[in-house]
Amino acid sequence: PEDLLITDSAGGRADRVLGLAGVMGGASTEVSAGTTDVLVEAAHFSPVSVARTARRHKLASEAAKRFERGVDPRLPAVAAQRVVDLLVEHGGGRADAAVSDLDT
């Protein structure tokens, strides 16, 4: 209950935990040789929340280290677009026109 989770939800209910927000993702969401579609998500999390979750679960990940130091909250939208641009340019990807920006 103390951790912010990234979930796959249906009907407003969290059906499956995909990762600990700002700390660690799950194996089921990794890109592999068989991946054909990618959803690009970029977020900003509270440094205090990320630090507490990482310590509680003993997960000193690269993501947690970065978020613990603080990240510019305006960066996620720019970073997500850069990822899409690189996938199109170097990976043969095709960008979908649909973009969501939930700023809470």
Side-chain angles (χ1 to χ4, degrees):
E2 298 89 12
D3 301 320
L4 180 60
L5 303 174
I6 305 298
T7 63
D8 185 4
S9 59
R13 195 188 88 187
D15 292 328
R16 183 172 62 133
V17 174
L18 302 177
L20 294 168
V23 178
M24 184 68 66
S28 66
T29 58
E30 289 182 353
V31 174
S32 70
T35 301
T36 57
D37 295 312
V38 177
L39 171 72
V40 176
E41 176 262 346
H44 179 265
F45 302 109
S46 160
V48 173
S49 173
V50 170
R52 287 181 180 159
T53 297
R55 284 176 183 74
R56 183 175 15 266
H57 296 282
K58 297 180 176 74
L59 293 171
S61 68
E62 182 67 25
K65 289 176 188 173
R66 290 177 188 269
F67 276 113
E68 287 175 15
R69 289 177 178 85
V71 177
D72 185 339
R74 298 169 298 182
L75 188 59
V78 175
Q81 186 60 57
R82 181 67 175 144
V83 168
V84 170
D85 294 344
L86 289 169
L87 286 170
V88 169
E89 183 179 348
H90 298 288
R94 183 174 38 89
D96 191 306
V99 175
S100 296
D101 186 356
L102 180 61
D103 188 11
T104 59

